[in-house]
Amino acid sequence: MKEVELFGTRVLSGKREEFLNEIEKRLKEKKKTFVVTMNASILLKAVEDKEYRDVINSADLIVPDGSGVVWAMRSLTGDHTERLPGIEIMKYLCDRSRETGWRVYLLGSKEEIVKKAADSLKRSGVNVVGYHHGFFREEESERVVRDINERSIDLLFVGMGVPRQEKWIHRNFPQLNVRLAMGVGGSIDVISGKKKRAPEWIQKINLEWLYRFFQSPVSKRKVPLQVLKFVFLVLREKLKNRNRRLF
């Protein structure tokens, strides 16, 4: 496992087992950890927004989540990394929490959805000790942080969408008494049963983004354009690199 640079952002390259082992190692050593799961949407936003790029680079671990990022790394750096989606990290850590006793808090989505997700995890033996919806104003963040800290949380999963979830974690990380904080996008919706993750065969052909688009065409209406912008960005950078080598 190593770290490479992609459009000014740091991202890990390696095997999925290496990523999981590093996360668990930091948890066992009680190293406070901010994890970002890098997909094309996050990377594109980081390229366009320096403030957000600085937020991403402040994370302790930046894991390649989406197939687009894996393709960009292979095309621009020559690294053949494996991807590890955020929902899989979340599920792995929740599974491990049954043995370790890690305490879990869910932050994000609507009240009824995050409650269903918390109840679902509790039924499977996960020690979910608190949850809160993601539709709160910034001035209410202090109250949310206080609620998290009062419950002695180990794992904080924040599903408030990009870029809000990473910015919220970054802004409040110094005050949060947690072992790990990670943005998980729509994972809370999936765990609650409100949405389904793409079938494995769709994941294998790298069209999970299209499956999510058809599930929520209104809220995800910008996704096809973002995909095209991302492809153009990578191909343009690849052409620049080729021209530099020629001259």
Side-chain angles (χ1 to χ4, degrees), residues 70-81:
V70 170
W71 168 68
M73 291 173 70
R74 184 174 64 249
S75 300
L76 301 178
T77 72
D79 283 272
H80 291 260
T81 185

Side-chain angles (χ1 to χ4, degrees), residues 56-171:
I56 298 302
N57 283 329
S58 75
D60 299 288
L61 299 173
I62 305 171
V63 180
D65 174 310
S67 57
V69 170
V70 170
W71 168 68
M73 291 173 70
R74 184 174 64 249
S75 300
L76 301 178
T77 72
D79 283 272
H80 291 260
T81 185
E82 291 184 358
R83 65 185 285 245
L84 180 58
I87 191 169
E88 293 182 17
I89 298 176
M90 182 179 180
K91 287 184 173 180
Y92 173 83
L93 293 177
C94 284
D95 287 344
R96 290 287 294 120
S97 74
R98 298 189 188 101
E99 301 173 25
T100 62
W102 292 329
R103 296 163 65 86
V104 175
Y105 193 104
L106 305 181
L107 176 62
S109 199
K110 296 179 180 179
E111 179 72 25
E112 63 272 18
I113 294 173
V114 71
K115 182 181 185 304
K116 283 182 180 179
D119 290 342
S120 175
L121 289 174
K122 286 178 183 178
R123 285 193 298 271
S124 69
V126 178
N127 190 19
V128 179
V129 297
Y131 61 86
H132 195 285
H133 65 82
F135 293 88
F136 56 89
R137 297 185 299 275
E138 182 53 39
E139 54 267 31
E140 298 177 280
S141 286
E142 185 177 341
R143 175 179 56 78
V144 175
V145 170
R146 187 165 58 249
D147 183 56
I148 292 168
N149 288 342
E150 287 173 353
R151 298 172 189 269
S152 301
I153 302 303
D154 296 301
L155 309 176
L156 172 62
F157 298 115
V158 183
M160 300 193 298
V162 174
R164 187 185 174 211
Q165 59 192 21
E166 287 81 24
K167 287 186 174 183
W168 189 89
I169 293 172
H170 172 75
R171 192 160 48 247

Side-chain angles (χ1 to χ4, degrees), residues 5-56:
E5 183 177 312
L6 195 63
F7 295 108
T9 63
R10 300 181 297 107
V11 60
L12 292 173
S13 174
K15 303 287 187 182
R16 50 185 292 127
E17 290 80 10
E18 293 178 309
F19 304 146
L20 291 172
N21 289 341
E22 180 62 24
I23 292 171
E24 191 160 0
K25 177 185 174 185
R26 292 181 66 93
L27 280 166
K28 289 178 178 177
E29 293 175 352
K30 298 185 178 180
K31 291 182 179 178
K32 192 175 179 183
T33 303
F34 173 19
V35 177
V36 168
T37 56
M38 175 81 79
N39 59 24
S41 178
I42 288 176
L43 182 55
L44 186 60
K45 184 67 177 176
V47 170
E48 297 172 342
D49 182 349
K50 183 183 182 302
E51 179 189 352
Y52 186 56
R53 184 163 66 248
D54 291 342
V55 167
I56 298 302

Side-chain angles (χ1 to χ4, degrees), residues 65-71 74 83 198-212 227:
D65 174 310
S67 57
V69 170
V70 170
W71 168 68
R74 184 174 64 249
R83 65 185 285 245
E200 192 171 338
W201 69 270
I202 291 181
Q203 296 177 41
K204 286 182 178 179
I205 61 174
N206 301 326
L207 287 177
E208 196 169 2
W209 66 269
L210 187 59
Y211 185 87
R212 290 196 296 267
V227 170

